[in-house]
Amino acid sequence: MSGHRSPVPRLCRATGLLLVLSGLAHLVVFAVDGGPWDGPVSWRKPVTFGLSFGVTLIAVTWVTSYLDVRPRLRAVLLAVFAADCVVEVGGITLQAWRGVPSHLNMETSFDTAVSMTLAVGGGVLVVLLTAFALAAFFRRPTGPAGMALAVRSGFAVLLVGLASGAAMIARGVVLTRTGHQEAAYHSTAWLKPLHGVSLHAVLVLPLLARLLALTPWSEAVRRRVVTAAVCCYAATVAGAGVWAGPTY
């Protein structure tokens, strides 16, 4: 089965679109039902996670087409990634409709099962995206001028986002295990800006390189523009990291 004939990328894009639509649908639910936007129990979570996971799934499906990875292996990794995204968004959405926190919630056996499933799913995401990142670092990605730098930088920044997400979960789990459940729900706020900004570099930077390919500019100019964009994005991520220090 060749990469061109595999239905997996198409299915992943469709799944990503459904997750985005789920996020938008819950934005309508929030507008109708109301309630707080912030906090461990709010419609914000199915909205933001649906949009973020959907966009990320679509982005990773596209960006990995530039990687030097065997088509069959890429298809398997993408299929697992898509399934994991559905599980994550599904668990968060389920808990929102139940009116209980989704992450770090150990109040009942069912809540614990959902929370642990989301935590394990997060670990799977880290492994899969790290595998794609390593493929980008060890073998030069293909594509138009500046794409290799954009893809590699996008995955590098994405790893920062994954690390910040893991740090949030780890801190929350420690607080939960030591009997500080309410503090655990609010312990992740300081890293959320860094986490959110870092996750989408893997879309923004390669998309810029692709759009620049449509311009009449020379390859040298396009590479310089991508380099400048990478520097600006890195500065933004660094700024979010610096902000997180005093907030913590």
Side-chain angles (χ1 to χ4, degrees):
M1 180 177 64
S2 70
H4 295 293
R5 295 179 182 176
S6 172
V8 171
R10 184 170 63 254
L11 291 174
C12 287
R13 289 190 292 269
T15 302
L17 178 59
L18 289 176
L19 294 178
V20 170
L21 292 176
S22 173
L24 294 175
H26 283 89
L27 187 60
V28 175
V29 172
F30 169 70
V32 174
D33 187 61
W37 180 253
D38 294 317
V41 181
S42 72
W43 293 117
R44 167 187 57 83
K45 299 190 77 172
V47 171
T48 56
F49 277 81
L51 293 174
S52 183
F53 271 90
V55 169
T56 300
L57 176 55
I58 293 171
V60 169
T61 301
W62 169 57
V63 170
T64 54
S65 66
Y66 294 106
L67 300 183
D68 185 6
V69 178
R70 292 196 304 274
R72 184 170 303 218
L73 175 60
R74 173 178 174 249
V76 170
L77 294 177
L78 284 177
V80 177
F81 182 56
D84 201 16
C85 288
V86 171
V87 169
E88 292 289 303
V89 176
I92 290 162
T93 302
L94 170 66
Q95 295 297 71
W97 279 98
R98 293 182 66 232
V100 298
S102 54
H103 293 87
L104 309 173
N105 183 359
M106 310 294 180
E107 297 293 335
T108 68
S109 58
F110 182 81
D111 293 329
T112 300
V114 173
S115 182
M116 293 305 298
T117 298
L118 294 177
V120 172
V124 173
L125 291 176
V126 171
V127 172
L128 293 173
L129 293 174
T130 299
F132 281 132
L134 291 175
F137 299 151
F138 284 116
R139 295 184 179 181
R140 182 180 177 84
T142 59
M147 183 61 77
L149 174 61
V151 170
R152 285 173 166 172
S153 300
F155 273 114
V157 176
L158 176 62
L159 293 181
V160 173
L162 295 176
S164 62
M168 288 191 290
I169 294 298
R171 177 170 170 76
V173 168
V174 169
L175 289 171
T176 298
R177 297 297 187 188
T178 54
H180 301 88
Q181 184 68 67
E182 194 61 32
Y185 291 145
H186 301 284
S187 66
T188 61
W190 61 290
L191 276 175
K192 284 182 179 178
L194 175 62
H195 183 63
V197 169
S198 302
L199 287 181
H200 298 296
V202 74
L203 169 63
V204 174
L205 297 175
L207 181 59
L208 173 63
R210 185 66 188 87
L211 292 175
L212 288 172
L214 302 177
T215 70
W217 298 346
S218 67
E219 291 190 358
V221 171
R222 283 183 272 150
R223 288 194 182 94
R224 285 197 292 269
V225 173
V226 171
T227 300
V230 169
C231 292
C232 290
Y233 211 108
T236 302
V237 171
V242 170
W243 181 88
T247 304
Y248 173 73

